[in-house]
Amino acid sequence: LNPIDKGAFAGLEMEEISELEADWYGELSKNPFTTRFPGGECYQDVVSRLESIVIEMEQQLAPVVLVSHVSVIQVLLAYFRQTPVKDCTKIEVPMHTVIELRPLLGGGWQEVQHTLIQDEGGSDGSQSDEGGVDSPIWGDRKERRASSFKV
């Protein structure tokens, strides 16, 4: 599934965008769910795009394998975790990890994370018991820890 369309900012990291377009980045920081990338999408557009996919996934009787990018995984995890979709931009997605969602009897989903590759710092990138995620999602670990804005 295709990631969020960054339009004119395609190929740029968030740190680069913040340096090139500080005013626009400030708006994105305030309203990450509804701020549209110039010539591209906002997270709200991604949600609309994924509605039919979610319905299709829930109707399957056999396991479903989905390979995608962070923005799409954030939206899907918000849905399956029953997190308000407007908060999907705050969901951290560990790299090199398979996220397995198993349906529970009576509704809901059990989430299990399987780390495939350990990162260079010795961290496996999996979700810790405290709820934190050790590895970055955009390669900007320092920037994200210094800021309250998470993509």
Side-chain angles (χ1 to χ4, degrees):
L1 298 171
N2 291 331
I4 193 166
D5 180 357
K6 289 185 180 177
F9 298 145
L12 297 176
E13 295 290 331
M14 296 308 290
E15 185 175 315
E16 294 172 296
I17 296 170
S18 71
E19 292 169 6
L20 292 170
E21 295 287 341
D23 291 340
W24 181 87
Y25 187 82
E27 183 61 32
L28 179 67
S29 297
K30 289 181 210 166
N31 302 303
F33 187 71
T34 57
T35 301
R36 187 177 314 284
F37 284 89
E41 294 179 301
C42 64
Y43 269 86
Q44 193 169 22
D45 297 331
V46 175
V47 169
S48 295
R49 189 163 39 97
L50 293 177
E51 284 178 0
S52 63
I53 301 297
V54 169
I55 292 169
E56 182 89 17
M57 289 171 59
E58 285 199 321
Q59 292 177 345
Q60 298 304 308
L61 299 176
V64 175
V65 175
L66 180 126
V67 178
S68 194
H69 301 265
V70 172
S71 55
V72 170
I73 294 170
Q74 287 174 312
V75 169
L76 292 173
L77 283 176
Y79 174 81
F80 287 108
R81 289 178 179 174
Q82 299 178 350
T83 300
V85 72
K86 288 188 174 195
D87 294 335
C88 70
T89 60
K90 299 175 185 173
I91 295 175
E92 296 187 40
V93 179
M95 293 183 65
H96 314 299
T97 303
V98 172
I99 301 171
E100 179 183 3
L101 298 165
R102 298 178 187 153
L104 296 173
L105 192 60
W109 300 85
Q110 177 186 22
E111 180 177 327
V112 180
Q113 295 187 5
H114 305 278
T115 303
L116 302 177
I117 301 172
Q118 295 215 343
D119 71 13
E120 295 171 7
S123 166
D124 63 2
S126 63
Q127 185 141 351
S128 68
D129 292 336
E130 292 81 34
V133 176
D134 298 321
S135 72
I137 58 173
W138 290 103
D140 57 352
R141 177 181 295 200
K142 292 177 191 169
E143 176 70 22
R144 287 189 315 105
R145 287 194 178 162
S147 168
S148 62
F149 174 68
K150 296 177 184 175
V151 174

